[in-house]
Amino acid sequence: EVRLAQSGAEVKQPGSTVKLSCSTSGYVFTDFYLYWVRQAPGEGLEWVGLIDPENGESFTAERFRGRVIITADTSADTAYMELSGLTFEDSARYFCALIAGVRGTWGQGTQVTVSS
Amino acid sequence: EIVLTQSPLSLAVTPGESASISCRSSQSLLHTNGYTYLDWYLQKPGKSPQLLIYLVSSRASGVPDRFSGSGSGTDFTLKIDRVQADDVGVYYCMQPMQSPPFGQGTRLEI
């Protein structure tokens, strides 16, 4: 069974950096891209970026470029997303997701709250 | 980039009736390997999205046969027969070929 387990909730101050993790199991980590998606309260899904764990190459949505770093640790089958320069508008639930046909699975999400 | 456009954006259905959601892609989702990579997910209130349909028309494990997917190339449809109260949520079509990977979502209300 494919599982994506995400790190716990974070409360951060404006201007700071948050690093989220996504621990995977049940499939070959390097076989599929892993996506990061966020969802503000009452809003739809917003794509943040993705990583190809096989080679470590990442792609970030234009609005997040320069603020997001996505990495993968193949020894731990875990992906990370670091978001810097936090503003109140970054308060949202952040998901990691495997969008891969029959294996399609999403993590439970990590709530990030930006508060002064 | 591939743009997925869903319609309608919201849908109100009486229990027992049918519902259809359209997803149009700006490019063909037919891969050179012969597979068409279009999936459907449902995000129930307060939950993570869950897989309903993969590769256009294959139901994920545990998904009732009231849910069916069809289409090819750039035009796809999710049909829900005999809608139940538990079907409420936001439905997304998704594809892994290029980013962004999903449409705007369609909200189903009873």
Side-chain angles (χ1 to χ4, degrees), chain A residues 35 37 39 44-45 47 50 95 98-99 101-102 104 106-108, chain B residues 39 41 43 47-49 51 54 92 94-96 99-102:
Chain A
Y35 294 79
V37 176
Q39 186 170 39
L45 304 176
W47 176 63
L50 63 85
F95 296 97
L98 180 65
I99 301 172
V102 67
W106 289 56
Q108 82 275 23
Chain B
D39 306 328
Y41 286 74
Q43 186 177 29
K47 302 292 187 181
S48 304
L51 181 66
Y54 62 96
Y92 292 91
M94 299 195 186
Q95 55 77 27
S99 295
F102 39 75

